[in-house]
Amino acid sequence: MKSFYANKCSIIVNKYPWVFFFLLYFVAMLDVFVAHAIKVPPTLYIFGDSTFDVGTNNFLNSKRKANSPYYGIDFHNSFPTGRFSNGLNIADQIARQFGYKKSPPSFLDLETLEYSFKVNIMVGVNFASGGSGILRYTGYKQWGEVIFLEKQVDQFALVRENITNTLGAEKAASFVSKALFLISIGINDLLDYERSESGVYHLGKEENLAVLQLNYYTYVRKLYELGARKFGILSIPPIGCYPAVTSTNEGNCVKPLNDFSVAFYKAIQTLLEKLSLELEGFEYSLGNTYAMFTTMLKDPLVFGLNDTKSACCGIGKLNGEGPCLKTLKQNRCGIGIFDEDDPILKSLNKNIFSGIKKFYREDPCKKPLNISLCVNRDNHLFWDWLHITEKASKLIAKMVFEGGVEFVFPKNLSQLVS
């Protein structure tokens, strides 16, 4: 059965002959790289939640967005791209470790560029969606529309189909097998469970973890069946120490939540070991994000961090009582952040960004919030109530890329792709 995105993403080669020429050139260069063993960075296919999201939610009817100030304040031109960060996020920083400038664009971004879709997917695609989870109903009650992991895998299936159409079955299988599949997800599943919003709140914690483990196993196996062989998995950090949690607990970490995070890591470790025994050629690198965070929390000055408790940007105690939003949209007022009917903005968005609504004007229906914003973002571990700074993302990426078995097991990312 074809994906619901199939019509949008198909390319008519006769209409875009230069794209066809480029694809022929790309296929030829693949043979050259293999023949001469030239080292090139792996193609990256990225799945997950707001840890990795680089703008997916900009295209959704979701309350979980980061496309307005102060998000992106340290990005190029201080532009809020949809990353839940002051600048680059962990997906970007991992990509930089491989020599890229940043993460590949989001799938929903790429599908708007129909003429170059088949070219762009050869470099990589980011499917991650903020607020999403392993379970299909995670995040929906609180945030509205998000793209859960199963749907992200379905989107990759469409990408895989296009790669096969371009390269042929044999070369497509070889190409995908050399790509790196990065996944970071699970935080929202655990938070929703604690808030009794996940749909499985009637289950005990062990039963809930079993459900998460089974679903995670299913989707990783589906990616394997689509040709994936190399997996870089990030577990979840000590969410009980995030400002959104500690601000309600007199600044202290919540141990039961942290214990839940540790149990989740063990569950993911077990399923990856199982998959590696079951599936030929299956390789993985499991990042123990909990251990990485704990190390930074215990000895922050070694990592150049002065504040590991409060968020750099936010509101209330420890800046942990709300997201980093300069303004808040008032209910039942106006049409939203993008004025779609404004002819000037419409022209800019159409001609420069191929219809993507990136130019916007201040919405008169938005009221300013009493947001606190720190001056030196590099001193902070946390950017907002639920996300880390660009600096902390870089530290995590380096540990995942070149760290020892205390942080990454059984091998780090550089070893995985070598």
Side-chain angles (χ1 to χ4, degrees), residues 119-375:
V119 174
N120 291 331
I121 62 176
M122 296 296 196
V123 180
V125 185
N126 189 315
F127 304 91
S129 171
S132 69
I134 299 165
L135 305 180
R136 62 169 48 230
Y137 33 73
T138 293
Y140 181 79
K141 185 173 181 180
Q142 185 173 15
W143 307 116
E145 188 181 9
V146 296
I147 300 180
F148 47 90
L149 185 56
E150 180 184 7
K151 195 171 178 181
Q152 293 178 33
V153 174
D154 288 342
Q155 290 174 339
F156 174 73
L158 174 62
V159 168
R160 178 66 166 87
E161 181 183 337
N162 275 269
I163 294 172
T164 302
N165 292 340
T166 299
L167 301 181
E170 187 175 340
K171 285 186 177 178
S174 176
F175 178 81
V176 174
S177 72
K178 294 179 176 64
L180 178 60
F181 288 73
L182 296 170
I183 308 175
S184 177
I185 202 162
I187 292 177
N188 296 304
D189 294 287
L190 299 193
L191 289 175
D192 270 21
Y193 176 82
E194 288 298 312
R195 288 192 296 258
S196 299
E197 293 177 357
S198 69
V200 293
Y201 62 88
H202 58 283
L203 298 176
K205 287 189 177 182
E206 289 186 6
E207 290 82 1
N208 181 43
L209 277 172
V211 171
L212 294 175
Q213 184 186 47
L214 177 60
N215 280 269
Y216 209 138
Y217 171 91
T218 301
Y219 304 138
V220 172
R221 186 167 185 123
K222 176 68 181 296
L223 288 172
Y224 177 89
E225 292 167 357
L226 290 167
R229 293 297 181 268
K230 298 179 185 292
F231 293 85
I233 310 289
L234 293 189
S235 187
I236 63 176
I239 54 178
C241 293
Y242 272 50
V245 177
T246 58
S247 62
T248 65
N249 193 44
E250 298 181 350
N252 299 313
C253 297
V254 175
K255 188 176 183 299
L257 269 179
N258 286 347
D259 291 342
F260 212 171
S261 300
V262 172
F264 181 84
Y265 172 81
K266 292 177 180 177
I268 300 306
Q269 186 177 37
T270 299
L271 79 85
L272 290 174
E273 289 173 351
K274 176 178 170 63
L275 285 166
S276 66
L277 292 173
E278 293 175 348
L279 306 176
E280 182 180 355
F282 182 93
E283 296 183 80
Y284 70 93
S285 171
L286 174 58
N288 189 345
T289 319
Y290 188 96
M292 300 176 203
F293 268 77
T294 301
T295 302
M296 290 190 288
L297 289 169
K298 285 182 178 177
D299 209 352
L301 294 180
V302 171
F303 298 93
L305 302 171
N306 292 328
D307 191 331
T308 58
K309 282 188 171 291
S310 63
C312 169
C313 181
I315 193 168
K317 296 176 183 177
L318 301 176
N319 280 347
E321 295 182 3
C324 176
L325 294 175
K326 186 177 180 181
T327 57
L328 181 67
K329 178 70 187 286
Q330 299 180 69
N331 292 331
R332 297 182 295 280
C333 176
I335 62 170
I337 189 167
F338 296 110
D339 186 354
E340 299 180 19
D341 298 322
D342 188 298
I344 297 176
L345 298 184
K346 205 171 183 180
S347 175
L348 285 170
N349 287 320
K350 179 179 180 181
N351 295 325
I352 298 178
F353 292 109
S354 302
I356 304 171
K357 302 167 193 170
K358 288 190 175 181
F359 280 105
Y360 59 90
R361 62 163 44 150
E362 291 294 329
D363 187 343
C365 296
K366 290 195 167 189
K367 62 179 181 180
L369 296 175
N370 187 26
I371 288 292
S372 171
L373 175 68
C374 71
V375 176

Side-chain angles (χ1 to χ4, degrees), residues 29 90 98 103 132 231 365 388 402:
M29 289 307 295
I90 297 178
F98 286 108
S103 163
S132 69
F231 293 85
C365 296
I388 60 176
E402 59 188 31

